[in-house]
Amino acid sequence: MTGGPGVIVRGPVRYGIEHELALLRADGSLADFATLSHAEVAAVVDELPELPDDQHDLRIGDAGIRCKRWYAEGYERLDEHGELWRFDPKGIEIRTAVHDSVEAAESALCADAELLARVAARHGLRPVAFGFHPARSAYRLDPPANAHERTLMASSPEERTAHLHMVTWGPDLNLSFPECGTDPADLADAAAKLTYYSPYLVPWSFSSPFRDGRPWVGESARTSRRTGPRPAALAYLDPAATLLPTDPSLTRHAAIPGEIGRIEFKAFDAVAVLPGEEPADGGRAGLPGALLSLLTGVLRDGTLTGRRRTPDALAHRRAALRGWSDPAIRSGSQAVLDAAATALRGEPGHLERLASLQVLLTRRENPATRMLARHRAGGGIPGIVTAPHGA
């Protein structure tokens, strides 16, 4: 759907980042759900500090796995009574507490990522950021879902498609606007705006140009496979509010008071926050913060009129396949960047970060293009170990 300019958010912004990371072993192979045990991930997380002061911002979850800012990310298998009986990990996630600036959120994330990298190295693991599993395209429940799990899957579009996330990695970038209130219609409008413009926002993050052990036909196998069946953006509402009946969801009830009013963008590929997380040479620091500034500007803008309650899967596939080589995608990215810059005029920190995105757009450069260039130069595919020549 499209409409008028809708709600323009104003005032201060609060930020949080959820950062998913894959894990490589010392030989360069990917430690995934088929080869990685929950005990291995738990051994890393157990060494990291528990900081109770953050709990008012962070959800723990029913299974109790998310007790820290770092936790095992994966798929929870439940028995017929709804009790956790197995956990299949896909990596580790870092989540920040909520901060009053992009700089503070990104600084906190970098500090936690550095600590994770040091601890993981002691266990023979290296956290890396890429968007799609380079060798496996699917995760299948084995054994098949039981009656309780099937009921859970039917409870929401996201539960039904939860298995898709097991072969993908990417950040959730969270924004809230304390002075704008928590009106459900306003929050849904903000999420619908980001959903509409998502195909033009995501190319900056593309980091999944490999699939099934070889270069994929485009730059983001993650976007092509995932966005459409799963949301691009979510608005978190008061538990008493009525949710919009969309598939996938656009609105969700907040699980804790601190989530009410949060806008969460979920469609970016994984992006590195540290040089060590970059799976190809030439990583660029500060991309998560720049993307937060971009989302801030789009939501503060009053000229972009597009709105969609569900992602345009075809537009996302077009962006995933062609990236900025497609004139329409490139033009759309330039339009959202220009609108964001205009909306944030007078805020130097935001504008400096947006200028870094302009450089990437002008060069048509993102993590995927660097990964492909490294592969063409003989650098292989991150996460796949190739036998030495003659072996």
Side-chain angles (χ1 to χ4, degrees):
M1 68 177 186
T2 58
V7 176
I8 303 172
V9 296
R10 307 208 183 272
V13 192
R14 305 200 75 208
Y15 299 98
I17 305 173
E18 300 169 50
H19 182 49
E20 285 185 343
L21 290 159
L23 295 169
L24 298 186
R25 298 195 184 277
D27 65 357
S29 64
L30 179 61
D32 67 358
F33 53 83
T35 64
L36 181 66
S37 71
H38 179 249
E40 287 182 276
V41 182
V44 176
V45 174
D46 285 348
E47 285 195 37
L48 295 162
E50 186 168 342
L51 301 171
D53 290 345
D54 294 330
Q55 295 308 317
H56 68 282
D57 285 335
L58 305 177
R59 223 182 340 169
I60 294 177
D62 295 335
I65 293 171
R66 299 169 175 84
C67 293
K68 301 182 179 184
R69 293 202 302 269
W70 308 261
Y71 64 89
E73 177 68 2
Y75 197 99
E76 299 172 5
R77 298 302 310 270
L78 307 177
D79 65 19
E80 294 281 0
H81 305 288
E83 298 296 324
L84 180 69
W85 70 273
R86 194 180 82 200
F87 185 86
D88 293 343
K90 71 167 188 177
I92 290 181
E93 180 164 316
I94 308 170
R95 53 189 178 160
T96 71
V98 179
H99 294 271
D100 291 329
S101 69
V102 171
E103 293 87 351
E106 194 166 40
S107 176
L109 179 60
C110 288
D112 286 349
E114 288 174 352
L115 180 55
L116 171 62
R118 291 198 300 271
V119 173
R122 294 201 288 268
H123 294 264
L125 296 168
R126 172 193 164 198
V128 293
F130 49 74
F132 195 84
H133 198 302
R136 305 180 200 271
S137 288
Y139 164 81
R140 293 179 176 83
L141 273 63
D142 183 17
N146 59 41
H148 179 86
E149 290 175 317
R150 291 194 299 272
T151 299
L152 181 63
M153 290 174 186
S155 67
S156 78
E158 285 63 60
E159 291 292 347
R160 189 187 70 242
T161 58
H163 62 283
L164 292 178
H165 88 90
M166 288 296 287
V167 292
T168 68
W169 294 265
D172 292 340
L173 299 187
N174 302 308
L175 303 88
S176 56
F177 301 84
E179 293 183 4
C180 292
T182 57
D183 182 271
D186 292 349
L187 294 169
D189 182 79
K193 185 177 190 180
L194 294 182
T195 297
Y196 182 92
Y197 290 101
S198 175
Y200 312 113
L201 297 168
V202 293
W204 274 283
S205 72
F206 285 166
S207 63
S208 49
F210 303 110
R211 179 175 174 175
D212 299 320
R214 58 184 179 272
W216 187 59
V217 291
E219 295 181 1
S220 180
R222 180 188 194 274
T223 299
S224 177
R225 177 85 185 279
R226 175 175 167 138
T227 308
R230 291 181 70 78
L234 285 170
Y236 284 81
L237 311 183
D238 187 286
T242 300
L243 300 180
L244 294 176
T246 63
D247 188 350
S249 300
L250 182 72
T251 54
R252 179 178 289 179
H253 285 140
I256 57 174
E259 282 186 339
I260 299 173
R262 183 175 299 174
I263 306 298
E264 183 178 73
F265 190 77
K266 304 178 71 68
F268 288 128
D269 277 23
V271 292
V273 301
L274 301 175
E277 295 175 1
E278 173 66 49
D281 298 331
R284 179 180 293 270
L287 185 53
L291 296 175
L292 277 173
S293 288
L294 180 62
L295 296 176
T296 304
V298 170
L299 290 177
R300 282 192 175 163
D301 157 81
T303 65
L304 299 171
T305 60
R307 303 290 190 277
R308 281 188 64 97
R309 290 185 173 182
T310 58
D312 185 334
L314 289 178
H316 280 89
R317 289 190 193 113
R318 179 176 179 174
L321 284 166
R322 304 175 186 172
W324 287 320
S325 65
D326 185 305
I329 300 299
R330 190 167 67 252
S331 176
S333 294
Q334 188 66 64
V336 296
L337 184 58
D338 289 344
T342 299
L344 295 172
R345 186 181 295 134
E347 301 188 45
H350 283 308
L351 292 179
E352 290 171 7
R353 287 186 287 271
L354 295 184
S356 72
L357 297 183
Q358 182 64 68
V359 171
L360 296 176
L361 177 56
T362 300
R363 295 176 178 173
R364 303 187 195 180
E365 177 188 332
N366 55 32
T369 61
R370 296 195 300 271
M371 292 167 77
L372 287 168
R374 183 174 182 268
H375 178 265
R376 288 192 295 268
I381 297 174
I384 294 180
V385 177
T386 303
H389 182 69

